Amino acid sequence: MSVAIIGAGAFGTALAVSLASKGPVTLWGRDTGWAAARENPRLPGVALPPALHVTGRLDQIAAETVLLALPAQVLGGFLAEHGARFDRRNLVSCAKGIDLATLTGPSALIAAACPHATVAVLTGPSFAADIARGLPTALTLACADAGAAEALQRQLSTATLRLYRTTDMAGAELGGALKNIIAIAAGAAIGAGYGDSARASIVTRGFAEMLRLATALGARPETLPGLSGLGDLVLTCTSEQSRNFRYGLALGAGRDFAAGTTVEGAATARAVTRLAERLGIEMPISNLVAGLAQGSIAMEHALDFLLNRPLKEE
Ligand SMILES: NC(=O)C1=CN([C@@H]2O[C@H](COP(=O)(O)OP(=O)(O)OC[C@H]3O[C@@H](n4cnc5c(N)ncnc54)[C@H](O)[C@@H]3O)[C@@H](O)[C@H]2O)C=CC1
Ligand SMILES: O=C(CO)COP(=O)(O)O
């Protein structure tokens, strides 16, 4: 089975580099002016291997398995324009977010645009730079069809990228989307100088929020403590390699943050606030992050927002 990747950002490029160790891979990007230099400025210091073909032409994407590594908020627009050409293939979502326009995850967007495709999700704790450098990484491959999950697991594992499989698409996808919100909150706590104890509370209570919403949306509870949920939550809340964490640091410290950086948790927090309201689920950390990201809550009121709530059982 041949592989192609849509989206030549940091993650798409890193996956392409890793998969090119096993055979030819095609990577499609919107802007490919950098391709002749064999180095993507979104992934500096990584030489693209000869087996990796970069193209700006979608008609060159003939692979049976296509990984969609676009940010969650642009995926819907891309699929509306180009989805039809990818139907009847294996389509693997690599985005970690919830679409604000539809309040659904990337896999539902793909399934709606490509009703005859086999849809899967690739997620878990992994920084693009780590994957591209061949550092050992473990991810989750989720597909509702157990046979397809096994085939994709084999196809997309490499010598340094170890994939575990599950049929719980909702659980895997929601874990990856929701952890970004909590990472912003953890970063804000550190940026504001609230300390490591505060961060530990946010990670733990944030995980409780993730579990509450994900199970209400059909996830299996046992999926959330896995790589795609807890694993990625720990990574993203503790490393300055994470853009969501760094964005939170800037919010907490009252500093500007580089415009144009992909920070999935900001829009996803707004989507989650709406979903939680609809479902009648309490999500205080997500609501706070949505408010901070939109500017409707000021950082100096963040503590009041979380601490001045009625005391409750854990
Ligand atoms: N960077 C990382 O370490 C990881 C990222 N991810 C996920 O992968 C997804 C993509 O993130 P990154 O690659 O890191 O982002 P990025 O910011 O490095 O790249 C985004 C890419 O999307 C392209 N793009 C933006 N709008 C577009 C449009 N309308 N049509 C076509 N292309 C468009 C940009 O040109 C850029 O190449 C996100 O959901 C992220 O959460 C998942 C795991 C690790
Ligand atoms: O999802 C990631 C690590 O698993 C990447 O995190 P950021 O998008 O916060 O950089």
Side-chain angles (χ1 to χ4, degrees):
M1 271 196 297
S2 47
V3 188
I5 296 169
I6 298 291
F11 196 42
T13 306
L15 290 169
V17 168
S18 188
L19 288 164
S21 64
K22 296 210 309 188
V25 175
T26 306
L27 173 66
W28 175 88
R30 185 176 54 165
D31 318 300
T32 54
W34 46 268
R38 304 302 290 164
E39 182 179 335
N40 186 341
R42 289 197 181 252
L43 200 59
V46 175
L48 303 188
L52 171 48
H53 170 61
V54 181
T55 182
R57 289 180 47 181
L58 282 174
D59 61 357
Q60 290 190 349
I61 305 297
E64 291 162 278
T65 297
V66 179
L67 276 55
L68 293 153
L70 294 170
Q73 304 306 325
V74 307
L75 183 62
F78 176 87
L79 289 168
E81 200 173 337
H82 304 293
R85 70 167 71 230
F86 298 111
D87 209 353
R88 298 186 191 280
R89 307 199 209 181
N90 302 314
L91 300 180
V92 184
S93 164
C94 302
K96 294 178 179 172
I98 295 178
D99 177 51
L100 251 176
T102 58
L103 303 188
T104 61
S107 64
L109 293 179
I110 297 169
C114 308
H116 306 290
T118 298
V119 182
V121 171
L122 182 62
T123 186
S126 58
F127 289 123
D130 294 349
I131 291 179
R133 288 187 173 81
L135 301 181
T137 312
L139 295 179
T140 301
L141 186 287
C143 182
D145 175 332
E150 248 186 281
L152 287 168
Q153 178 188 32
R154 268 195 308 276
Q155 187 186 19
L156 303 178
S157 288
T158 71
T160 52
L161 198 58
R162 178 176 168 82
L163 267 52
Y164 289 79
R165 67 175 183 276
T166 176
T167 52
D168 184 8
M169 297 244 292
E173 182 166 78
L174 285 164
L178 301 177
K179 64 86 190 174
N180 282 331
I181 303 171
I182 309 306
I184 295 176
I190 296 297
Y194 297 151
D196 288 334
S197 304
R199 168 168 44 189
S201 316
I202 284 170
V203 171
T204 314
R205 295 309 305 162
F207 183 69
E209 281 187 24
M210 290 168 59
L211 195 55
R212 219 178 288 145
L213 183 68
T215 49
L217 291 171
R220 289 182 220 138
E222 64 270 24
T223 304
L224 274 292
L227 289 165
S228 53
L230 185 61
D232 212 355
L233 179 69
V234 169
L235 177 74
T236 321
C237 290
T238 57
S239 171
E240 288 196 27
Q241 275 197 76
S242 159
R243 297 162 296 190
N244 286 283
F245 183 74
R246 286 202 309 274
Y247 171 68
L249 281 178
L251 279 177
R255 287 195 314 262
D256 286 342
F257 190 70
T261 306
T262 300
V263 179
E264 292 282 30
T268 295
R270 292 167 59 200
V272 160
T273 295
R274 290 183 207 165
L275 271 175
E277 208 175 289
R278 189 186 282 179
L279 295 165
I281 294 173
E282 219 189 322
M283 303 282 286
I285 299 174
S286 303
N287 292 344
L288 171 62
V289 170
L292 290 173
Q294 288 176 106
S296 58
I297 300 174
M299 192 59 209
E300 58 262 36
H301 298 134
L303 277 186
D304 279 353
F305 191 92
L306 290 182
L307 298 182
N308 287 346
R309 292 178 305 123
L311 296 172
K312 51 188 263 193
E313 273 188 21
E314 187 170 16

